[in-house]
Amino acid sequence: MKIAAAQLTCTPADVRANVARAADLAARAREQGAELVVFPELALTGYELAALAADPGLWTAADDPRLDPLRSAGIATAVNVALPTDGPRPALATLVHDADGAHVTTYAKQHLYRHEQDLFRPGEGDGRFELGGIRFSLGVCYDNHFPDLPGRGAADGCRVHLSSSLYGTGDGIHERATVHPGIAREHGLYVVLANHVGPAGPWTGCGRAAVWAPGGALLAEADDRTPSVVTASVGTARS
């Protein structure tokens, strides 16, 4: 199976504009033969925590009609959003839809980073799904700094770990280049990283969306400036 990692520059606090950008990247991924595309953290609003706190209209459920252009792109998608919950706080969650637009699973970020704790409700369980005979685990940015999370996925038969993230310039450059191949080496997983590129709330996304093979070899990597997708093939067999 071929999988795509996306990087995009978001329009701040504009769900419809960002869905359109994501749908365009999904179409590019499909044209390159990918069956699944992964998007960055808070891909539909940008990393705009003040706006998300002030306007629940920016929160996005799995059946939100604003997602229709992305759900109809003809490719499975993993897109991270501020997700309404049954309480006053949203979750910071990844929604997975299949190529027909059907909702497959939702994973809520468990390890909230700093000021995210003031806005979001932490998730309480791991994320798993299966597509094309391959089992996937899910993590969101800071989640991936806790090795037990992808480790549980590997122990549960997952072959690919998907990371929807925001890594900025500065320290983020080193973090994105060490954390994810580290997961691949330690747990024998393919690791797919989606990232922001350009302005992203208080940060500047460093791009370089990428895919690593089990063992940590880099299979594909985007540049540090262009909204784009990169693709790589993943296998089912463990060596």
Side-chain angles (χ1 to χ4, degrees), residues 19 37 63 94 111 113 125 131-132 141 146 169 176 178 185 234:
V19 166
V37 58
D63 59 354
T94 296
H111 302 284
Y113 184 70
L131 182 70
C141 203
F146 295 81
T169 54
R176 69 150 292 285
T178 55
R185 285 192 299 270
V234 303

Side-chain angles (χ1 to χ4, degrees), residues 149-177:
L149 188 147
R152 291 193 298 270
D156 193 33
C158 292
R159 187 63 177 142
V160 185
H161 183 70
L162 306 180
S163 172
S164 296
S165 297
L166 165 55
Y167 287 97
T169 54
D171 292 344
I173 294 174
H174 176 73
E175 289 178 354
R176 69 150 292 285

